[in-house]
Amino acid sequence: MTFASITSPPSTRIAALDTARGFAILSVVASHALLMPEQIGSWIYEFYVPLFFILAGYLARPGHVRSRLTGMVRSYFVTCGALLAIWAVLYPLRGEQLSLLPRAVLSILYGRFYDPALPFLTTCCWTGQLWFLTLLCTATLLFYLLRRLTDAHPACLAGVLIMLLAAAQLLRQLPFLLPWCVDTAPLGAAYLLAGQWLARQDFARRPLHGKMPLLLAFCLLIYLALHDTYDLNLRLYGRFEDLRGPAAFFLAGTAGSILCLALCVAVAQLPVLGSILRRAGQHSMPIFCWHIFWLWFMDSVRIRLPAIFSGSPAGQLLYAVLALVAVPLLCVGTVALGQWSCRQVRQFLLSRSAG
């Protein structure tokens, strides 16, 4: 299951969009793995998550909401299940208490991770980064409920965006995080609507002439003026803390995404770099899930493994085997099972629709 199969029909391929998605997913991996230089990362952080939502809105088509939501929910629970299984096997061997296991399950079902106001939430099994998928699910539902209101006139789109940003501003005042990122869903839906507007302008295929340079210049000014709004995003996995609020992050994220997409229109034509980014974009969902597995594995080997050297030799050997062999094998088996289940669900849905 790739991100492309969630956000567009299989026959739809736009090189600039694949390139932009590839850039976004590689930026996420570099950021989580601490490989992105701070001087560069501070300019990318404002839009690399909003870019995913804008691309999803760009490729949204009527009638595909069920398949999109099914793919996102399946990817979320398959990845969470694999991470939970790995944690449940390895951590008790280090003497950890199993009391965190119910909290981990509740956090997965709640779709949010770590909130001081909700003590039953925890990030113990490395599922925190998957808030992105839960937000995308709730934002997609809201987007499909509102998208028809924006078809009549540009003023309708502006009114809906203002309504969504006002709702996001009100919901950020809540003392706790709502399940499945409901409190940040209005902002996610606003990004999806922005992507839909870009699709109406055929932005990814239109040559840069006419009014397009004026739009890009305006976006550049907005982006520079609102630079360094990253605190709005990932704090507490989606909690807004910056005084400027969701409206500022929406403007900065949209402006940065438009500029990035315009650059990717040109980069997509490059023989080597364009090809690498397009391939990464076409497989962005597996890359997103796999890099979480890899980060968890590296954390276990680099930080956790030395802690058991004081135990018995048999315990050391058992943990080393599990950490170095069983973890990758479990990841491979889980993803393979997820791919098989994807095919089964897809065949079932096709047979139901044909009947």
Side-chain angles (χ1 to χ4, degrees):
M1 172 60 64
T2 66
F3 194 83
S5 64
I6 295 174
T7 55
S8 65
S11 59
T12 301
R13 289 259 73 94
I14 302 176
L17 301 184
D18 284 336
T19 303
R21 193 185 296 113
F23 170 81
I25 192 60
L26 293 181
S27 297
V28 169
V29 173
S31 172
H32 286 169
L34 303 179
L35 299 176
M36 186 182 297
E38 183 178 355
Q39 295 80 0
I40 299 176
S42 64
W43 294 95
I44 295 177
Y45 289 150
E46 282 86 2
F47 68 85
Y48 77 151
V49 171
L51 181 58
F52 278 115
F53 287 81
I54 287 178
L55 293 174
Y58 195 111
L59 293 170
R61 299 291 183 271
H64 290 93
V65 59
R66 184 173 66 174
S67 62
R68 293 180 66 187
L69 291 175
T70 300
M72 286 183 285
V73 171
R74 182 170 53 240
S75 297
Y76 171 74
F77 280 111
V78 166
T79 306
C80 285
L83 290 167
L84 182 64
I86 296 170
W87 176 86
V89 170
L90 290 185
Y91 272 60
L93 296 177
R94 295 176 47 240
E96 296 283 348
Q97 297 180 353
L98 285 176
S99 59
L100 288 177
L101 183 58
R103 292 175 58 189
V105 174
L106 286 173
S107 297
I108 291 172
L109 296 177
Y110 200 78
R112 297 297 280 267
F113 309 90
Y114 180 69
D115 181 5
L118 299 174
F120 62 84
L121 297 181
T122 179
T123 59
C124 67
C125 55
W126 267 85
T127 51
Q129 290 89 345
L130 294 174
W131 70 270
F132 168 82
L133 286 178
T134 59
L135 174 56
L136 191 55
C137 286
T138 52
T140 298
L141 279 174
L142 186 57
F143 164 73
Y144 272 95
L145 290 174
L146 296 175
R147 60 176 298 177
R148 290 191 177 183
L149 298 177
T150 66
D151 292 340
H153 193 273
C156 297
L157 173 61
V160 171
L161 289 176
I162 292 173
M163 178 189 69
L164 288 171
L165 295 176
Q169 178 67 24
L170 290 174
L171 290 172
R172 72 184 288 217
Q173 309 299 328
L174 294 175
F176 54 87
L177 302 177
L178 294 179
W180 281 67
C181 296
V182 171
D183 45 354
T184 50
L187 180 61
Y191 283 128
L192 290 166
L193 288 171
Q196 183 187 55
W197 180 83
L198 290 175
R200 291 173 183 167
Q201 314 307 312
D202 201 17
F203 188 89
R205 290 193 178 100
R206 175 179 289 187
L208 299 181
H209 61 73
K211 298 180 181 180
M212 199 59 63
L214 293 177
L215 173 63
L216 296 179
F218 174 77
C219 289
L220 180 61
L221 290 175
I222 293 294
Y223 183 64
L224 293 175
L226 296 174
H227 177 58
D228 197 21
T229 61
Y230 181 61
D231 282 346
L232 292 172
N233 192 12
L234 291 180
R235 295 295 179 89
L236 290 180
Y237 300 108
R239 169 69 75 192
F240 297 124
E241 292 185 342
D242 194 279
L243 294 177
R244 286 169 288 190
F249 190 56
F250 171 76
L251 292 174
T254 302
S257 298
I258 290 175
L259 293 171
C260 179
L261 185 55
L263 179 63
C264 287
V265 172
V267 172
Q269 308 304 318
L270 299 178
V272 178
L273 180 60
S275 177
I276 293 174
L277 292 177
R278 285 197 306 273
R279 293 292 296 174
Q282 293 167 11
H283 299 86
S284 56
M285 181 59 75
I287 292 174
F288 175 71
C289 295
W290 268 103
H291 96 279
I292 296 177
F293 283 125
W294 179 250
L295 288 175
W296 194 97
F297 172 67
M298 290 303 296
D299 178 73
S300 298
V301 173
R302 183 179 65 246
I303 299 176
R304 311 295 184 185
L305 190 57
I308 59 96
F309 284 166
S310 57
S312 65
Q316 297 174 19
L317 178 61
L318 178 60
Y319 186 83
V321 170
L322 287 172
L324 298 176
V325 178
V327 171
L329 288 179
L330 184 57
C331 294
V332 172
T334 303
V335 172
L337 180 61
Q339 294 288 344
W340 177 83
S341 64
C342 290
R343 289 194 295 270
Q344 301 303 312
V345 172
R346 190 180 301 114
Q347 291 174 4
F348 172 75
L349 293 176
L350 290 175
S351 63
R352 288 289 300 273
S353 60

PDB file of all heavy atoms in Angstrom, residues 142-172:
ATOM      1  N   LEU A 142     -13.581  15.449   7.159  1.00  0.00           N
ATOM      2  CA  LEU A 142     -14.083  16.819   7.209  1.00  0.00           C
ATOM      3  C   LEU A 142     -13.986  17.482   5.840  1.00  0.00           C
ATOM      4  O   LEU A 142     -14.898  18.212   5.420  1.00  0.00           O
ATOM      5  CB  LEU A 142     -13.292  17.603   8.256  1.00  0.00           C
ATOM      6  CG  LEU A 142     -13.759  19.034   8.555  1.00  0.00           C
ATOM      7  CD1 LEU A 142     -15.213  19.049   9.006  1.00  0.00           C
ATOM      8  CD2 LEU A 142     -12.870  19.662   9.617  1.00  0.00           C
ATOM      9  N   PHE A 143     -12.906  17.221   5.131  1.00  0.00           N
ATOM     10  CA  PHE A 143     -12.707  17.780   3.791  1.00  0.00           C
ATOM     11  C   PHE A 143     -13.813  17.344   2.838  1.00  0.00           C
ATOM     12  O   PHE A 143     -14.382  18.159   2.104  1.00  0.00           O
ATOM     13  CB  PHE A 143     -11.336  17.346   3.267  1.00  0.00           C
ATOM     14  CG  PHE A 143     -11.152  17.515   1.791  1.00  0.00           C
ATOM     15  CD1 PHE A 143     -10.991  18.767   1.229  1.00  0.00           C
ATOM     16  CD2 PHE A 143     -11.117  16.405   0.956  1.00  0.00           C
ATOM     17  CE1 PHE A 143     -10.807  18.916  -0.128  1.00  0.00           C
ATOM     18  CE2 PHE A 143     -10.937  16.537  -0.402  1.00  0.00           C
ATOM     19  CZ  PHE A 143     -10.783  17.797  -0.949  1.00  0.00           C
ATOM     20  N   TYR A 144     -14.156  16.063   2.844  1.00  0.00           N
ATOM     21  CA  TYR A 144     -15.192  15.578   1.934  1.00  0.00           C
ATOM     22  C   TYR A 144     -16.572  16.094   2.318  1.00  0.00           C
ATOM     23  O   TYR A 144     -17.457  16.210   1.463  1.00  0.00           O
ATOM     24  CB  TYR A 144     -15.179  14.050   1.887  1.00  0.00           C
ATOM     25  CG  TYR A 144     -14.233  13.510   0.849  1.00  0.00           C
ATOM     26  CD1 TYR A 144     -12.943  13.136   1.192  1.00  0.00           C
ATOM     27  CD2 TYR A 144     -14.618  13.406  -0.480  1.00  0.00           C
ATOM     28  CE1 TYR A 144     -12.061  12.656   0.238  1.00  0.00           C
ATOM     29  CE2 TYR A 144     -13.749  12.923  -1.435  1.00  0.00           C
ATOM     30  CZ  TYR A 144     -12.473  12.549  -1.077  1.00  0.00           C
ATOM     31  OH  TYR A 144     -11.608  12.083  -2.027  1.00  0.00           O
ATOM     32  N   LEU A 145     -16.786  16.416   3.589  1.00  0.00           N
ATOM     33  CA  LEU A 145     -18.051  17.002   3.994  1.00  0.00           C
ATOM     34  C   LEU A 145     -18.192  18.449   3.533  1.00  0.00           C
ATOM     35  O   LEU A 145     -19.307  18.922   3.277  1.00  0.00           O
ATOM     36  CB  LEU A 145     -18.192  16.934   5.516  1.00  0.00           C
ATOM     37  CG  LEU A 145     -18.407  15.546   6.127  1.00  0.00           C
ATOM     38  CD1 LEU A 145     -18.369  15.631   7.653  1.00  0.00           C
ATOM     39  CD2 LEU A 145     -19.731  14.957   5.668  1.00  0.00           C
ATOM     40  N   LEU A 146     -17.066  19.151   3.400  1.00  0.00           N
ATOM     41  CA  LEU A 146     -17.098  20.583   3.115  1.00  0.00           C
ATOM     42  C   LEU A 146     -16.745  20.940   1.677  1.00  0.00           C
ATOM     43  O   LEU A 146     -17.003  22.078   1.255  1.00  0.00           O
ATOM     44  CB  LEU A 146     -16.137  21.324   4.058  1.00  0.00           C
ATOM     45  CG  LEU A 146     -16.461  21.266   5.548  1.00  0.00           C
ATOM     46  CD1 LEU A 146     -15.348  21.937   6.341  1.00  0.00           C
ATOM     47  CD2 LEU A 146     -17.794  21.947   5.833  1.00  0.00           C
ATOM     48  N   ARG A 147     -16.171  20.026   0.928  1.00  0.00           N
ATOM     49  CA  ARG A 147     -15.606  20.399  -0.374  1.00  0.00           C
ATOM     50  C   ARG A 147     -16.655  20.946  -1.334  1.00  0.00           C
ATOM     51  O   ARG A 147     -16.362  21.847  -2.125  1.00  0.00           O
ATOM     52  CB  ARG A 147     -14.876  19.213  -1.013  1.00  0.00           C
ATOM     53  CG  ARG A 147     -15.734  17.993  -1.268  1.00  0.00           C
ATOM     54  CD  ARG A 147     -14.925  16.928  -1.985  1.00  0.00           C
ATOM     55  NE  ARG A 147     -14.468  17.374  -3.288  1.00  0.00           N
ATOM     56  CZ  ARG A 147     -13.706  16.665  -4.094  1.00  0.00           C
ATOM     57  NH1 ARG A 147     -13.293  15.463  -3.708  1.00  0.00           N
ATOM     58  NH2 ARG A 147     -13.339  17.126  -5.262  1.00  0.00           N
ATOM     59  N   ARG A 148     -17.882  20.457  -1.276  1.00  0.00           N
ATOM     60  CA  ARG A 148     -18.914  20.947  -2.198  1.00  0.00           C
ATOM     61  C   ARG A 148     -19.310  22.389  -1.901  1.00  0.00           C
ATOM     62  O   ARG A 148     -19.780  23.091  -2.793  1.00  0.00           O
ATOM     63  CB  ARG A 148     -20.142  20.045  -2.131  1.00  0.00           C
ATOM     64  CG  ARG A 148     -19.909  18.665  -2.727  1.00  0.00           C
ATOM     65  CD  ARG A 148     -21.204  17.910  -2.887  1.00  0.00           C
ATOM     66  NE  ARG A 148     -20.993  16.623  -3.531  1.00  0.00           N
ATOM     67  CZ  ARG A 148     -21.970  15.760  -3.847  1.00  0.00           C
ATOM     68  NH1 ARG A 148     -23.235  16.090  -3.571  1.00  0.00           N
ATOM     69  NH2 ARG A 148     -21.695  14.622  -4.430  1.00  0.00           N
ATOM     70  N   LEU A 149     -19.121  22.807  -0.655  1.00  0.00           N
ATOM     71  CA  LEU A 149     -19.432  24.197  -0.320  1.00  0.00           C
ATOM     72  C   LEU A 149     -18.477  25.170  -0.984  1.00  0.00           C
ATOM     73  O   LEU A 149     -18.787  26.367  -1.097  1.00  0.00           O
ATOM     74  CB  LEU A 149     -19.389  24.396   1.201  1.00  0.00           C
ATOM     75  CG  LEU A 149     -20.383  23.581   2.038  1.00  0.00           C
ATOM     76  CD1 LEU A 149     -20.155  23.850   3.516  1.00  0.00           C
ATOM     77  CD2 LEU A 149     -21.818  23.909   1.641  1.00  0.00           C
ATOM     78  N   THR A 150     -17.317  24.694  -1.419  1.00  0.00           N
ATOM     79  CA  THR A 150     -16.296  25.578  -1.990  1.00  0.00           C
ATOM     80  C   THR A 150     -16.331  25.608  -3.509  1.00  0.00           C
ATOM     81  O   THR A 150     -15.507  26.287  -4.123  1.00  0.00           O
ATOM     82  CB  THR A 150     -14.901  25.123  -1.537  1.00  0.00           C
ATOM     83  OG1 THR A 150     -14.615  23.826  -2.100  1.00  0.00           O
ATOM     84  CG2 THR A 150     -14.836  25.012  -0.025  1.00  0.00           C
ATOM     85  N   ASP A 151     -17.251  24.863  -4.137  1.00  0.00           N
ATOM     86  CA  ASP A 151     -17.262  24.760  -5.596  1.00  0.00           C
ATOM     87  C   ASP A 151     -17.916  25.949  -6.287  1.00  0.00           C
ATOM     88  O   ASP A 151     -17.636  26.232  -7.448  1.00  0.00           O
ATOM     89  CB  ASP A 151     -17.982  23.475  -6.043  1.00  0.00           C
ATOM     90  CG  ASP A 151     -17.199  22.222  -5.660  1.00  0.00           C
ATOM     91  OD1 ASP A 151     -15.988  22.344  -5.415  1.00  0.00           O
ATOM     92  OD2 ASP A 151     -17.809  21.141  -5.584  1.00  0.00           O
ATOM     93  N   ALA A 152     -18.817  26.630  -5.594  1.00  0.00           N
ATOM     94  CA  ALA A 152     -19.626  27.648  -6.259  1.00  0.00           C
ATOM     95  C   ALA A 152     -18.824  28.887  -6.631  1.00  0.00           C
ATOM     96  O   ALA A 152     -18.911  29.379  -7.760  1.00  0.00           O
ATOM     97  CB  ALA A 152     -20.808  28.031  -5.365  1.00  0.00           C
ATOM     98  N   HIS A 153     -18.012  29.407  -5.727  1.00  0.00           N
ATOM     99  CA  HIS A 153     -17.357  30.700  -5.947  1.00  0.00           C
ATOM    100  C   HIS A 153     -16.118  30.765  -5.063  1.00  0.00           C
ATOM    101  O   HIS A 153     -16.093  30.190  -3.967  1.00  0.00           O
ATOM    102  CB  HIS A 153     -18.323  31.838  -5.594  1.00  0.00           C
ATOM    103  CG  HIS A 153     -17.862  33.179  -6.079  1.00  0.00           C
ATOM    104  ND1 HIS A 153     -17.020  33.988  -5.349  1.00  0.00           N
ATOM    105  CD2 HIS A 153     -18.131  33.844  -7.238  1.00  0.00           C
ATOM    106  CE1 HIS A 153     -16.787  35.106  -6.016  1.00  0.00           C
ATOM    107  NE2 HIS A 153     -17.454  35.054  -7.167  1.00  0.00           N
ATOM    108  N   PRO A 154     -15.064  31.472  -5.514  1.00  0.00           N
ATOM    109  CA  PRO A 154     -13.872  31.597  -4.660  1.00  0.00           C
ATOM    110  C   PRO A 154     -14.170  32.162  -3.279  1.00  0.00           C
ATOM    111  O   PRO A 154     -13.493  31.824  -2.300  1.00  0.00           O
ATOM    112  CB  PRO A 154     -12.965  32.532  -5.464  1.00  0.00           C
ATOM    113  CG  PRO A 154     -13.375  32.324  -6.884  1.00  0.00           C
ATOM    114  CD  PRO A 154     -14.847  32.051  -6.852  1.00  0.00           C
ATOM    115  N   ALA A 155     -15.189  33.037  -3.195  1.00  0.00           N
ATOM    116  CA  ALA A 155     -15.536  33.588  -1.887  1.00  0.00           C
ATOM    117  C   ALA A 155     -16.019  32.502  -0.936  1.00  0.00           C
ATOM    118  O   ALA A 155     -15.810  32.589   0.282  1.00  0.00           O
ATOM    119  CB  ALA A 155     -16.610  34.662  -2.045  1.00  0.00           C
ATOM    120  N   CYS A 156     -16.657  31.455  -1.482  1.00  0.00           N
ATOM    121  CA  CYS A 156     -17.104  30.337  -0.641  1.00  0.00           C
ATOM    122  C   CYS A 156     -15.904  29.609  -0.055  1.00  0.00           C
ATOM    123  O   CYS A 156     -15.916  29.213   1.116  1.00  0.00           O
ATOM    124  CB  CYS A 156     -17.966  29.383  -1.460  1.00  0.00           C
ATOM    125  SG  CYS A 156     -19.498  30.113  -2.079  1.00  0.00           S
ATOM    126  N   LEU A 157     -14.858  29.414  -0.881  1.00  0.00           N
ATOM    127  CA  LEU A 157     -13.650  28.776  -0.387  1.00  0.00           C
ATOM    128  C   LEU A 157     -13.015  29.600   0.725  1.00  0.00           C
ATOM    129  O   LEU A 157     -12.615  29.050   1.769  1.00  0.00           O
ATOM    130  CB  LEU A 157     -12.653  28.573  -1.532  1.00  0.00           C
ATOM    131  CG  LEU A 157     -11.272  28.055  -1.144  1.00  0.00           C
ATOM    132  CD1 LEU A 157     -11.374  26.685  -0.493  1.00  0.00           C
ATOM    133  CD2 LEU A 157     -10.354  27.997  -2.364  1.00  0.00           C
ATOM    134  N   ALA A 158     -12.940  30.910   0.538  1.00  0.00           N
ATOM    135  CA  ALA A 158     -12.362  31.775   1.563  1.00  0.00           C
ATOM    136  C   ALA A 158     -13.173  31.703   2.852  1.00  0.00           C
ATOM    137  O   ALA A 158     -12.606  31.644   3.953  1.00  0.00           O
ATOM    138  CB  ALA A 158     -12.297  33.213   1.053  1.00  0.00           C
ATOM    139  N   GLY A 159     -14.502  31.672   2.726  1.00  0.00           N
ATOM    140  CA  GLY A 159     -15.341  31.597   3.914  1.00  0.00           C
ATOM    141  C   GLY A 159     -15.154  30.292   4.671  1.00  0.00           C
ATOM    142  O   GLY A 159     -15.084  30.290   5.906  1.00  0.00           O
ATOM    143  N   VAL A 160     -15.066  29.177   3.944  1.00  0.00           N
ATOM    144  CA  VAL A 160     -14.873  27.883   4.595  1.00  0.00           C
ATOM    145  C   VAL A 160     -13.507  27.828   5.279  1.00  0.00           C
ATOM    146  O   VAL A 160     -13.370  27.303   6.397  1.00  0.00           O
ATOM    147  CB  VAL A 160     -15.035  26.739   3.578  1.00  0.00           C
ATOM    148  CG1 VAL A 160     -14.624  25.407   4.193  1.00  0.00           C
ATOM    149  CG2 VAL A 160     -16.472  26.665   3.090  1.00  0.00           C
ATOM    150  N   LEU A 161     -12.470  28.356   4.614  1.00  0.00           N
ATOM    151  CA  LEU A 161     -11.139  28.369   5.222  1.00  0.00           C
ATOM    152  C   LEU A 161     -11.124  29.186   6.509  1.00  0.00           C
ATOM    153  O   LEU A 161     -10.530  28.773   7.517  1.00  0.00           O
ATOM    154  CB  LEU A 161     -10.120  28.923   4.230  1.00  0.00           C
ATOM    155  CG  LEU A 161      -9.765  28.040   3.039  1.00  0.00           C
ATOM    156  CD1 LEU A 161      -8.822  28.765   2.088  1.00  0.00           C
ATOM    157  CD2 LEU A 161      -9.144  26.727   3.496  1.00  0.00           C
ATOM    158  N   ILE A 162     -11.775  30.342   6.485  1.00  0.00           N
ATOM    159  CA  ILE A 162     -11.842  31.171   7.696  1.00  0.00           C
ATOM    160  C   ILE A 162     -12.561  30.422   8.811  1.00  0.00           C
ATOM    161  O   ILE A 162     -12.136  30.443   9.979  1.00  0.00           O
ATOM    162  CB  ILE A 162     -12.539  32.507   7.383  1.00  0.00           C
ATOM    163  CG1 ILE A 162     -11.653  33.353   6.461  1.00  0.00           C
ATOM    164  CG2 ILE A 162     -12.850  33.268   8.666  1.00  0.00           C
ATOM    165  CD1 ILE A 162     -12.307  34.615   5.967  1.00  0.00           C
ATOM    166  N   MET A 163     -13.650  29.736   8.454  1.00  0.00           N
ATOM    167  CA  MET A 163     -14.395  28.962   9.448  1.00  0.00           C
ATOM    168  C   MET A 163     -13.521  27.854  10.051  1.00  0.00           C
ATOM    169  O   MET A 163     -13.517  27.637  11.272  1.00  0.00           O
ATOM    170  CB  MET A 163     -15.636  28.362   8.801  1.00  0.00           C
ATOM    171  CG  MET A 163     -16.471  27.485   9.730  1.00  0.00           C
ATOM    172  SD  MET A 163     -17.774  26.608   8.865  1.00  0.00           S
ATOM    173  CE  MET A 163     -16.791  25.439   7.897  1.00  0.00           C
ATOM    174  N   LEU A 164     -12.771  27.154   9.202  1.00  0.00           N
ATOM    175  CA  LEU A 164     -11.925  26.060   9.678  1.00  0.00           C
ATOM    176  C   LEU A 164     -10.813  26.574  10.588  1.00  0.00           C
ATOM    177  O   LEU A 164     -10.527  25.976  11.641  1.00  0.00           O
ATOM    178  CB  LEU A 164     -11.336  25.306   8.496  1.00  0.00           C
ATOM    179  CG  LEU A 164     -12.303  24.435   7.692  1.00  0.00           C
ATOM    180  CD1 LEU A 164     -11.639  23.912   6.435  1.00  0.00           C
ATOM    181  CD2 LEU A 164     -12.810  23.269   8.540  1.00  0.00           C
ATOM    182  N   LEU A 165     -10.176  27.672  10.213  1.00  0.00           N
ATOM    183  CA  LEU A 165      -9.090  28.208  11.027  1.00  0.00           C
ATOM    184  C   LEU A 165      -9.621  28.761  12.349  1.00  0.00           C
ATOM    185  O   LEU A 165      -8.947  28.666  13.385  1.00  0.00           O
ATOM    186  CB  LEU A 165      -8.338  29.282  10.246  1.00  0.00           C
ATOM    187  CG  LEU A 165      -7.603  28.776   8.990  1.00  0.00           C
ATOM    188  CD1 LEU A 165      -6.968  29.934   8.237  1.00  0.00           C
ATOM    189  CD2 LEU A 165      -6.559  27.743   9.360  1.00  0.00           C
ATOM    190  N   ALA A 166     -10.826  29.326  12.321  1.00  0.00           N
ATOM    191  CA  ALA A 166     -11.428  29.785  13.568  1.00  0.00           C
ATOM    192  C   ALA A 166     -11.735  28.602  14.486  1.00  0.00           C
ATOM    193  O   ALA A 166     -11.530  28.668  15.710  1.00  0.00           O
ATOM    194  CB  ALA A 166     -12.705  30.581  13.272  1.00  0.00           C
ATOM    195  N   ALA A 167     -12.219  27.493  13.895  1.00  0.00           N
ATOM    196  CA  ALA A 167     -12.482  26.293  14.697  1.00  0.00           C
ATOM    197  C   ALA A 167     -11.193  25.740  15.285  1.00  0.00           C
ATOM    198  O   ALA A 167     -11.160  25.322  16.454  1.00  0.00           O
ATOM    199  CB  ALA A 167     -13.170  25.237  13.823  1.00  0.00           C
ATOM    200  N   ALA A 168     -10.118  25.725  14.477  1.00  0.00           N
ATOM    201  CA  ALA A 168      -8.826  25.250  14.991  1.00  0.00           C
ATOM    202  C   ALA A 168      -8.333  26.131  16.134  1.00  0.00           C
ATOM    203  O   ALA A 168      -7.760  25.641  17.116  1.00  0.00           O
ATOM    204  CB  ALA A 168      -7.807  25.213  13.859  1.00  0.00           C
ATOM    205  N   GLN A 169      -8.562  27.445  16.021  1.00  0.00           N
ATOM    206  CA  GLN A 169      -8.156  28.362  17.085  1.00  0.00           C
ATOM    207  C   GLN A 169      -8.928  28.097  18.373  1.00  0.00           C
ATOM    208  O   GLN A 169      -8.362  28.126  19.476  1.00  0.00           O
ATOM    209  CB  GLN A 169      -8.378  29.807  16.622  1.00  0.00           C
ATOM    210  CG  GLN A 169      -8.044  30.863  17.658  1.00  0.00           C
ATOM    211  CD  GLN A 169      -6.561  30.923  17.964  1.00  0.00           C
ATOM    212  OE1 GLN A 169      -5.740  30.536  17.156  1.00  0.00           O
ATOM    213  NE2 GLN A 169      -6.217  31.402  19.156  1.00  0.00           N
ATOM    214  N   LEU A 170     -10.220  27.801  18.261  1.00  0.00           N
ATOM    215  CA  LEU A 170     -11.026  27.510  19.446  1.00  0.00           C
ATOM    216  C   LEU A 170     -10.632  26.173  20.066  1.00  0.00           C
ATOM    217  O   LEU A 170     -10.512  26.058  21.297  1.00  0.00           O
ATOM    218  CB  LEU A 170     -12.511  27.506  19.077  1.00  0.00           C
ATOM    219  CG  LEU A 170     -13.130  28.864  18.724  1.00  0.00           C
ATOM    220  CD1 LEU A 170     -14.569  28.681  18.249  1.00  0.00           C
ATOM    221  CD2 LEU A 170     -13.091  29.805  19.921  1.00  0.00           C
ATOM    222  N   LEU A 171     -10.430  25.166  19.233  1.00  0.00           N
ATOM    223  CA  LEU A 171     -10.129  23.832  19.750  1.00  0.00           C
ATOM    224  C   LEU A 171      -8.758  23.753  20.399  1.00  0.00           C
ATOM    225  O   LEU A 171      -8.522  22.872  21.238  1.00  0.00           O
ATOM    226  CB  LEU A 171     -10.232  22.802  18.615  1.00  0.00           C
ATOM    227  CG  LEU A 171     -11.653  22.528  18.114  1.00  0.00           C
ATOM    228  CD1 LEU A 171     -11.626  21.648  16.864  1.00  0.00           C
ATOM    229  CD2 LEU A 171     -12.495  21.876  19.200  1.00  0.00           C
ATOM    230  N   ARG A 172      -7.841  24.641  20.008  1.00  0.00           N
ATOM    231  CA  ARG A 172      -6.516  24.593  20.621  1.00  0.00           C
ATOM    232  C   ARG A 172      -6.563  25.001  22.091  1.00  0.00           C
ATOM    233  O   ARG A 172      -5.612  24.760  22.838  1.00  0.00           O
ATOM    234  CB  ARG A 172      -5.544  25.498  19.861  1.00  0.00           C
ATOM    235  CG  ARG A 172      -5.797  26.980  20.064  1.00  0.00           C
ATOM    236  CD  ARG A 172      -4.892  27.842  19.236  1.00  0.00           C
ATOM    237  NE  ARG A 172      -3.544  27.844  19.705  1.00  0.00           N
ATOM    238  CZ  ARG A 172      -2.743  28.924  19.698  1.00  0.00           C
ATOM    239  NH1 ARG A 172      -3.192  30.076  19.259  1.00  0.00           N
ATOM    240  NH2 ARG A 172      -1.519  28.861  20.119  1.00  0.00           N
TER     241      ARG A 172
END
